[in-house]
Amino acid sequence: MMAGANVYNRRYAVGLMSGTSVDGIDAALVEFNGVSGQPPHVRLIAFENTPYPAKVREEIFSLFDPKTATVDRVGRMNVWLGELYAEAALSVIAKAGLDRRNIAVIGSHGQTIYHSPEIQHTDGYDLHYTVQIGEGAVIAARTGVTCVSDFRVADMAVGGQGAPLVPFTEYLLYREAEHTLLLQNIGGIGNVTVIPAGCTPEQVYAFDTGPGNVLIDGLVSRLYPGEKTMDTGGAIAQKGSVNADLLQLLQQEAYYGLPLPKSTGRELFGSSYIDRLLSYKHEHGISAEDLVATVTMLTAWSIGDAYRRFIRHRDPSQLMIVGGGGSYNPVLMQFLKQQMAPMDVQVRTQEEVGHNSDAKEAIAFALLADYTINKLPNNLPSATGAQRPVIMGKISY
Ligand SMILES: Nc1ncnc2c1ncn2[C@@H]1O[C@H](COP(=O)(O)OP(=O)(O)OP(=O)(O)O)[C@@H](O)[C@H]1O
Ligand SMILES: CC(=O)N[C@H]1[C@@H]2OC[C@@H](O2)[C@@H](O)[C@@H]1O[C@H](C)C(=O)O
C-alpha cells in the first residue's frame, strides 16, 4: 500500500463512553472503511456495556459536588477510571475476536464530573471549563493502543461550549438529502441534533434540551434507596398521575428559554434540584408515583418545548429519532409522542430505523478519535458555538 494521503484502508477503532447517567462504560468496536482523511463507512463489530461497580458509582457522585470533590479524590478516580476503561476496551476487542495490535486507536470520552460552559470574565480573561476524567495515559499503557481522550476542552479553548460533540458524527452518519431529521438523545441529559435536508456541516445545530433521565433516576434513587436507581420500563410513572401545579412550576426554569448554543448538566439538574422536589412532595403530600410521573412529563415537555421554540419555524421536520436509555421508558416515549403529534412529528427509536441506541455515543468517540489521529478538525462550531473548527483530543501513544 502506498504511504501518504488518500490511501484506501480498513481500520478498527474502539470508542468508550460513560455518560451523565453514571450507569457504566459503553465500549464499541468499530470498523472504518474508506480513504483516510475522508468520512469513512462505519460498521459496528462488537458492543459491550460494563456497569460501574457500586463503589465507583458512589465515589463518582461525590465528585459532582465541588465541596466533596477534593483534589486527591479526583486524582485517584482519574487513574481508577483509566484502569476500568482499559479493561472495557480489552474486553470488547476480545469479544470481536481481534488482537489489540489490529486496533488503530481508542477514543475515550471519560466521565464528566463538572461542566461550566458559560464564560466568566475573570481578571481580564474569559474563563469557562469542563472536567472529564479517566486517564488516557493509563488506557494507552494497559492496552498498548494509542488513546485519544479529553476532547471537550479544545472546543472550549476556542470559545465553544465543549458540548455537544456527537453531532459532528451524526452529520457524517445520518444526513439525508430530502428529510430534515431530529436526533434526540435521552441519556442523563437530553440533547437534540437538527440535520436539515441536504445540509452542509455548518447548517447542523444541536443543543441540550434539559433533563434526560437525570431527574427520574435521581428521584427514584432517593425514594427507593438501595432498591432502585431507575424507573425500569416506566413502571412507577405508569402508576402515577402528572401533578399540573408542580409541572407548571418546573416549566418556569430559565434554562428552557436560554438562546442557543447552550448545554447543561448535573450542576443545574442535580442533587439540589432533587432536594427541592422532595421538599415539594413533603409540603404538598404528593405520592412518589405522581412525582415520578410529573418529572417524566417534564422531560418529555422540555423536548417538545425545545422543538417549538428553537426548531419548528426554522427547520420543520416530520421525524424525531430517539436514542439513549430514555427510549426504553415507554411512559416517557408515550408522553413524548403526545408532545410531538400536534406538530406532525413522528417519534421513532434508533432501533426502529436500524441503528443501535446504546452504542451510538461510543461509536461517535471512535470516529472522533479517528479524525484526531488523522489530524482532522472534529468539532462542529454550529453546534458548540466555537469560533472555529479545531482538532479535539489529547493523544497518549
Ligand atoms: N429499561 C429501562 N427503562 C427505563 N429507563 C431506562 C431503561 N434502560 C435505561 N434507562 C434509562 O436510561 C439511562 C441511561 O441512559 P444512557 O446510557 O443513554 O445515558 P448516558 O449515556 O449516561 O447519558 P448522556 O447521553 O447524558 O451522557 C438510565 O440511567 C435510565 O434512566
Ligand atoms: C459535558 C457533557 O458531558 N455533556 C454531555 C451530556 O450528556 C448529554 C448532553 O449532556 C451532551 O451535551 C453531552 O454528551 C454528548 C455525548 C455529546 O457531547 O454530544
Side-chain angles (χ1 to χ4, degrees), residues 280-299:
Y280 189 94
K281 174 185 187 307
H282 190 65
E283 282 160 29
H284 294 81
I286 300 177
S287 71
E289 290 82 3
D290 286 2
L291 196 56
V292 175
T294 306
V295 297
T296 305
M297 177 56 95
L298 175 76
T299 304

Side-chain angles (χ1 to χ4, degrees), residues 23-25 50-60 80-81 84:
D23 50 347
I25 308 163
T50 312
Y52 277 135
K55 230 192 322 185
V56 172
R57 187 165 197 264
E58 221 170 276
E59 180 71 7
I60 291 171
W80 192 352
L81 288 180
L84 297 180

Side-chain angles (χ1 to χ4, degrees), residues 62-213:
S62 69
L63 303 183
F64 292 144
D65 181 351
K67 288 195 277 306
T68 46
T70 52
V71 68
D72 57 333
R73 288 176 92 171
V74 173
R76 190 172 74 121
M77 187 50 74
N78 181 43
V79 290
W80 192 352
L81 288 180
E83 300 285 354
L84 297 180
Y85 293 158
E87 284 171 12
L90 290 172
S91 173
V92 81
I93 294 167
K95 187 173 179 183
L98 290 169
D99 188 279
R100 61 178 89 179
R101 282 168 300 195
N102 302 133
I103 311 301
V105 68
I106 296 172
S108 177
H109 170 266
Q111 181 67 56
T112 296
I113 56 167
Y114 209 79
H115 185 60
S116 184
E118 295 313 322
I119 287 173
Q120 300 156 20
H121 303 288
T122 310
D123 208 15
Y125 296 99
D126 287 345
L127 304 182
H128 59 167
Y129 49 95
T130 186
V131 184
Q132 282 76 43
I133 57 171
E135 184 52 56
V138 172
I139 302 173
R142 299 292 172 270
T143 60
V145 180
T146 297
C147 177
V148 183
S149 60
D150 208 6
F151 290 82
R152 300 190 189 276
V153 286
D155 179 79
M156 274 198 167
V158 292
Q161 297 252 326
L165 302 186
V166 173
F168 179 84
T169 66
E170 290 173 322
Y171 167 77
L172 297 177
L173 303 177
Y174 288 78
R175 72 177 184 275
E176 287 189 9
E178 298 187 352
H179 300 107
T180 294
L181 298 178
L182 307 171
L183 302 181
Q184 177 71 45
N185 176 56
I186 312 182
I189 295 298
N191 56 300
V192 68
T193 303
V194 184
I195 308 186
C199 65
T200 60
E202 298 74 37
Q203 290 165 328
V204 174
Y205 55 104
F207 60 97
D208 289 352
T209 47
N213 295 287

Side-chain angles (χ1 to χ4, degrees), residues 325-391:
S327 64
Y328 302 125
N329 181 334
V331 178
L332 179 55
M333 290 299 285
Q334 191 49 40
F335 285 166
L336 182 56
K337 284 176 184 167
Q338 282 168 17
Q339 286 287 319
M340 303 311 291
M343 298 178 285
D344 292 324
V345 181
Q346 288 194 26
V347 179
R348 297 260 178 280
T349 62
Q350 287 282 338
E351 277 73 13
E352 284 166 351
V353 298
H355 291 273
N356 179 317
S357 263
D358 298 326
K360 186 179 173 207
E361 291 181 342
I363 294 171
F365 280 90
L367 187 51
L368 291 173
D370 187 63
Y371 270 64
T372 307
I373 56 170
N374 283 296
K375 298 199 178 94
L376 295 168
N378 51 5
N379 67 331
L380 193 61
S382 56
T384 63
Q387 284 137 15
R388 58 185 167 85
V390 285
I391 303 169

